[in-house]
Amino acid sequence: MPLFSFGGKGSKDPMVDLESLLIDYAWTEVSNASCMDQVFRTRRYTFEVNWAYVNVSHRIKKFLLRNRQDADPSPPLDPKVRSKVIQRDLCLFRTEFTNSSPSDQSFTFKTERKTTSRCDVSVQRGFRLGANVDVRLSIPIADGGQGAAPGAVAGPAGEVDGCRITGGLSGELHVTKTTGQTFEETLTWGVDSQVKVGQGSRVVAELIIREEEMTADFEIESTFEAVNDIPVYVKERKTGRVLEVLEIPKQQFAKILTTGKEKEINKIDDSKVSCVTNGTLRAIYGAEQVISVKSFNGNRPPSTVVEFTRPQIEEV
């Protein structure tokens, strides 16, 4: 099911196209287009906005972890963060050593396995630049991790233990597709140990990973500031040749973007506006590695040795 639809009676695009607003203004207010050019605009010309003259910054306003049982976001002051993260243990490799000799024996427990961490980001409301969005999202980290994300105001319910978020998923995620985007990374898990098995004993060794899953609703405030007049290139559709460069005055930047879009875009000053993006993030990642060694000797209860380690991130 698509996140939203375009066109149709009574439908409204939840993504404000900032680029089309600037292009419409440049074509109708700045250019000296003839009546025929106005009529056949889309058939004759293409347009390109030079965004290098606009400074864009992003700030996380909310990041609310969803409850494990509920579909609704958790309240901002709920301190039980871990109860909102689903944990599961996955056995990647299991082997059994049996010593039937009259003396102790040592065996090598060595293996390497790979898993994939995945993060799906979908956007329900916000802005786009033509056919693409441009949102940068970092998962807020609790104090026990790498420090909270700058400007994040979600409180305890929106903070995640940074020591458990693996590799690139703990960095900045750059979302560019209006239909949503998936980020993946490969993790390498391995063990190379000697296992001592006593006479007449049996040992079961397992390589287990602790996988975690979380779902969160986020809100990001993006700020756009025109630092100079903004060029708009008018190109011939057939050849791509630049026919004209139209310049939008920076003092008109906020007025252009807020006309008829007061709810979606907020004016800060004549050359600066802000826009809020709402979306959902769902991440499944390997948090830690568990090496389990259980020793069985006759009718005695098994003795267990457990070791926790971190994965290796594979460059992709």
Side-chain angles (χ1 to χ4, degrees):
M1 179 182 293
L3 296 175
F4 44 79
S5 59
F6 296 95
K9 184 176 180 181
S11 65
K12 181 181 178 181
D13 186 356
M15 309 292 287
V16 181
D17 188 354
L18 305 184
E19 188 164 89
S20 68
L21 294 175
L22 296 178
I23 290 173
D24 288 344
Y25 177 87
W27 184 246
T28 57
E29 302 297 331
V30 180
S31 71
N32 295 315
S34 65
C35 293
M36 292 299 292
D37 284 337
Q38 296 283 3
V39 172
F40 296 104
R41 165 185 158 180
T42 57
R43 295 177 58 183
R44 293 180 176 178
Y45 309 109
T46 61
F47 301 85
E48 180 182 334
V49 177
N50 190 339
W51 289 97
Y53 291 85
V54 180
N55 286 339
V56 183
S57 60
H58 306 282
R59 181 176 71 95
I60 300 177
K61 294 186 66 177
K62 294 181 182 179
F63 190 91
L64 302 179
L65 290 175
R66 290 189 180 182
N67 294 320
R68 292 168 59 173
Q69 296 82 12
D70 303 334
D72 297 328
S74 59
L77 297 180
D78 188 344
K80 299 180 181 178
V81 177
R82 302 309 304 168
S83 66
K84 297 172 176 51
V85 177
I86 301 174
Q87 292 185 335
R88 61 177 70 90
D89 288 347
L90 303 177
C91 182
L92 301 184
F93 183 78
R94 180 182 186 274
T95 188
E96 182 176 312
F97 304 102
T98 301
N99 181 11
S100 302
S101 69
S103 59
D104 294 347
Q105 299 289 333
S106 292
F107 297 87
T108 299
F109 179 33
K110 182 178 181 179
T111 188
E112 184 177 280
R113 293 292 186 269
K114 297 180 185 297
T115 62
T116 300
S117 292
R118 177 188 176 103
C119 182
D120 297 312
V121 180
S122 61
V123 177
Q124 285 82 40
R125 183 176 72 93
F127 71 92
R128 56 188 173 94
L129 308 179
N132 299 318
V133 300
D134 183 14
V135 173
R136 299 179 186 271
L137 169 66
S138 297
I139 298 176
I141 303 300
D143 293 339
Q146 304 168 0
V153 294
E159 296 175 348
V160 182
D161 186 353
C163 294
R164 304 176 70 87
I165 303 293
T166 50
L169 300 188
S170 63
E172 186 177 67
L173 307 177
H174 187 194
V175 183
T176 59
K177 299 179 181 178
T178 56
T179 55
Q181 204 156 342
T182 298
F183 302 87
E184 293 184 342
E185 67 176 359
T186 300
L187 307 179
T188 300
W189 313 85
V191 59
D192 186 0
S193 302
Q194 292 296 310
V195 177
K196 186 177 181 180
V197 183
Q199 56 178 331
S201 298
R202 178 171 60 93
V203 170
V204 175
E206 296 177 322
L207 170 61
I208 301 170
I209 67 164
R210 187 147 293 157
E211 191 176 71
E212 296 184 349
E213 177 182 345
M214 69 172 177
T215 303
D217 296 275
F218 63 83
E219 182 175 295
I220 300 174
E221 182 182 54
S222 302
T223 302
F224 301 83
E225 182 178 11
V227 295
N228 210 329
D229 293 347
I230 304 171
V232 177
Y233 305 108
V234 183
K235 300 181 179 181
E236 187 177 27
R237 179 172 291 277
K238 291 184 178 181
T239 65
R241 180 168 58 94
V242 177
L243 302 176
E244 187 178 3
V245 179
L246 308 175
E247 291 193 346
I248 299 176
K250 60 175 293 187
Q251 294 81 6
Q252 296 294 319
F253 182 70
K255 181 179 179 181
I256 297 169
L257 298 183
T258 54
T259 300
K261 299 286 182 179
E262 292 81 0
K263 292 183 179 180
E264 289 83 1
I265 303 177
N266 299 312
K267 178 179 178 180
I268 299 176
D269 57 39
D270 289 343
S271 60
K272 191 174 183 180
V273 299
S274 66
C275 182
V276 172
T277 298
N278 296 102
T280 302
L281 176 146
R282 179 174 180 265
I284 302 176
Y285 52 91
E288 61 187 356
Q289 172 178 293
V290 181
I291 307 299
S292 174
V293 179
K294 296 181 180 179
S295 178
F296 300 84
N297 188 352
N299 295 324
R300 297 179 183 177
S303 59
T304 303
V305 178
V306 178
E307 177 185 346
F308 296 87
T309 57
R310 295 283 295 155
Q312 294 180 353
I313 311 301
E314 184 173 290
E315 297 294 336
V316 293

